[in-house]
Amino acid sequence: MTSRTAVRRAAVVAGVLSVVAPGRAPALEGDRIRPSVGLNYTYVSNLFYLDDRIPDSQLPFLKNGQRSDNILGLRAGLDADIPVSRQMFTIRANATDNMYATYDNLDYVSYNLRGTWNWVVGSDWDGDVGIAHYQALGSFADVNFNVRNIRNTDEYFASGMYRIASDWKLRAAVRNTQLRNSAASFATTDRNDNVYEFGSRRYSKGGDNFLGVNFRMIDGRFPNRQVVAGSTVDNSYRQYTLEGTVDWRYSGQSKLSGALGWTNRLHDQISQRNFSGITGRLTAVYSPSGIVGLNAAVFREIGDYQDITASYILTQGVRIGPSYAVSEKLALQANYQYSVREFLGDPNFLVNPQPTRKDDINSLSGTVIWSPLRNAQISATLSYDMRTSNRVNLDYDVTTFFVGGQITF
């Protein structure tokens, strides 16, 4: 362990202990400022999502052939809701020091910081303005080797709604997102996105249920070009989506939310990668009682991707998740998801003709949530993920066990 890592860990532990020390942390009236601390443990059976058919002799980055690891996380957070007249200012912040038992070169601090001003002007105008910053370790699901790639995302956003009738609002929003990778091998996935939205919503009489229509335009830019067969490829694109939106509770037992529409994605270079088709996600929740619940979703989405060979993928699938409240303090949850991913953003097919990469992924998990006290929660999740691919040596199966506790003051 380096001295720098040791100092960092000691500082995090000291900060956690100072908050956990006896006595309640000061808070504004109504618990508007809520600090929290937590401790997490994670076991991953296949840290780098490797195909079992690949022998250890071909994986020199493994330590003594070990593919699993144990990860300890020390967490601290702060939530704040500060009203000023009719305005509301919110802060959501948390940081976790993640420490790997075997592959300690991957140690890192993840954090999420988000500040929002929820504004109101008169009786017809409302919206939000905010800034956010996220830091996380890049996923190994499609990288499959030991590389510490820290992904930093900055986000600036604003939206506004104007009431043109008692049950009808117009909405506009803008967002700028900047993603940067710390590892040089991922520089081509650095990205700048500008998102513009405009639409309208029709609300139920005296309620929050709405049906709407929304138009979204994304201008995506990649500052570092990708090299394919000795030539540079510009992955920049423009994406247009027209969709219907819904957030409607039909009764105390059922709710439907989400969006469904049509998307066109146009690339500045290599038009063969352009996309046009139905996209969206719809989620249904059914709760016949306060004890049993069921949620399900269907989705067909295109999104940006972390791999160094493809700029976007098409993902479609289904998810279903039952839940059961054993008591006020104990709840059980399960989740199953099946998804198919098509790597439509890979420009390499022009110089190395082969079928588009396609993955089938099955994910199954079970969670137990225990709340022994009003401000304390302990949760444990056991999950299993399996992927089959039409590309060689890209299958995997991985078992993950997570247990964590949190105290909120």
Side-chain angles (χ1 to χ4, degrees):
M1 180 189 302
T2 65
S3 59
R4 180 178 179 182
T5 300
V7 170
R8 184 193 59 172
R9 293 182 181 178
V12 173
V13 172
V16 170
L17 293 178
S18 67
V19 179
V20 177
R24 182 178 175 83
L28 292 179
E29 180 183 355
D31 286 339
R32 294 179 183 140
I33 295 182
R34 303 171 299 281
S36 63
V37 293
L39 180 65
N40 304 329
Y41 165 77
T42 305
Y43 166 77
V44 185
S45 67
N46 188 358
L47 180 63
F48 301 110
Y49 293 79
L50 300 170
D51 194 316
D52 290 338
R53 295 168 296 186
I54 304 176
D56 293 349
S57 59
Q58 297 182 16
L59 303 169
F61 58 84
L62 292 181
K63 293 185 178 181
N64 299 320
Q66 184 168 324
R67 303 189 180 207
S68 63
D69 209 342
N70 300 276
I71 308 162
L72 181 66
L74 298 176
R75 180 187 179 279
L78 176 68
D79 289 351
D81 298 284
I82 305 172
V84 179
S85 184
R86 299 174 63 200
Q87 317 303 309
M88 177 65 76
F89 296 89
T90 66
I91 297 173
R92 302 289 183 263
N94 65 76
T96 303
D97 190 10
N98 300 278
M99 296 166 279
Y100 290 72
T102 300
Y103 294 94
D104 54 1
N105 66 294
L106 299 175
D107 288 0
Y108 74 103
V109 176
S110 62
Y111 54 81
N112 296 273
L113 307 173
R114 187 180 184 91
T116 306
W117 167 27
N118 296 287
W119 57 268
V120 178
V121 176
S123 59
D124 297 327
W125 292 90
D126 66 275
D128 62 20
V129 176
I131 184 173
H133 182 78
Y134 312 105
Q135 176 170 290
L137 181 68
S139 172
F140 295 108
D142 293 290
V143 178
N144 308 131
F145 62 91
N146 186 352
V147 57
R148 184 179 181 274
N149 179 43
I150 304 299
R151 295 164 60 86
N152 280 276
T153 304
D154 291 296
E155 189 174 273
Y156 308 88
F157 58 90
S159 71
M161 290 201 292
Y162 174 64
R163 186 187 303 275
I164 59 176
S166 60
D167 56 354
W168 189 11
K169 289 184 177 182
L170 298 179
R171 177 182 179 273
V174 296
R175 184 175 72 252
N176 171 260
T177 302
Q178 301 173 21
L179 170 67
R180 295 295 182 267
N181 297 272
S182 66
S185 56
F186 288 86
T188 57
T189 64
D190 290 353
R191 194 177 75 249
N192 299 326
D193 287 346
N194 289 306
V195 183
Y196 310 92
E197 293 186 74
F198 180 78
S200 67
R201 295 176 178 178
R202 189 69 179 265
Y203 288 83
S204 60
K205 296 292 184 181
D208 295 327
N209 299 332
F210 69 81
L211 297 173
V213 62
N214 187 64
F215 174 75
R216 180 186 310 108
M217 194 276 278
I218 303 176
D219 182 20
R221 299 292 159 181
F222 294 79
N224 305 307
R225 294 196 172 195
Q226 181 179 358
V227 178
V228 178
S231 300
T232 59
V233 176
D234 185 1
N235 289 317
S236 298
Y237 68 95
R238 286 155 293 125
Q239 183 171 304
Y240 307 92
T241 300
L242 180 63
E243 60 191 3
T245 59
V246 60
D247 192 331
W248 201 279
R249 183 174 294 279
Y250 292 92
S251 66
Q253 298 181 345
S254 59
K255 179 182 179 180
L256 179 66
S257 60
L260 182 65
W262 189 272
T263 294
N264 285 320
R265 182 176 178 121
L266 308 175
H267 290 82
D268 292 350
Q269 188 179 357
I270 310 182
S271 60
Q272 292 93 325
R273 293 188 300 156
N274 291 349
F275 172 86
S276 181
I278 295 174
T279 57
R281 175 183 290 261
L282 293 174
T283 301
V285 178
Y286 178 60
S287 303
S289 68
I291 299 177
V292 178
L294 181 68
N295 65 81
V298 294
F299 51 90
R300 190 173 194 263
E301 302 166 325
I302 63 172
D304 296 293
Y305 182 59
Q306 296 186 28
D307 185 54
I308 58 178
T309 62
S311 60
Y312 79 97
I313 58 174
L314 170 67
T315 304
Q316 48 194 330
V318 296
R319 177 184 57 81
I320 185 168
S323 61
Y324 176 64
V326 180
S327 66
E328 292 183 356
K329 296 184 177 181
L330 183 63
L332 306 177
Q333 299 176 353
N335 186 74
Y336 170 73
Q337 178 171 299
Y338 171 73
S339 59
V340 179
R341 305 188 308 170
E342 296 183 66
F343 289 62
L344 304 181
D346 186 355
N348 199 47
F349 69 88
L350 293 178
V351 295
N352 185 22
Q354 57 182 310
T356 299
R357 176 179 164 184
K358 186 176 181 181
D359 297 345
D360 290 359
I361 301 176
N362 287 274
S363 301
L364 179 65
S365 67
T367 300
V368 179
I369 302 174
W370 181 42
S371 304
L373 301 172
R374 180 184 66 86
N375 65 332
Q377 186 178 92
I378 299 173
S379 64
T381 300
L382 180 64
S383 62
Y384 175 76
D385 298 278
M386 180 181 69
R387 178 175 75 190
T388 57
S389 177
N390 64 346
R391 295 288 178 88
V392 177
N393 292 335
L394 290 181
D395 295 357
Y396 68 68
D397 61 84
V398 55
T399 299
T400 304
F401 174 70
F402 168 89
V403 61
Q406 177 176 302
I407 299 175
T408 303
F409 299 88

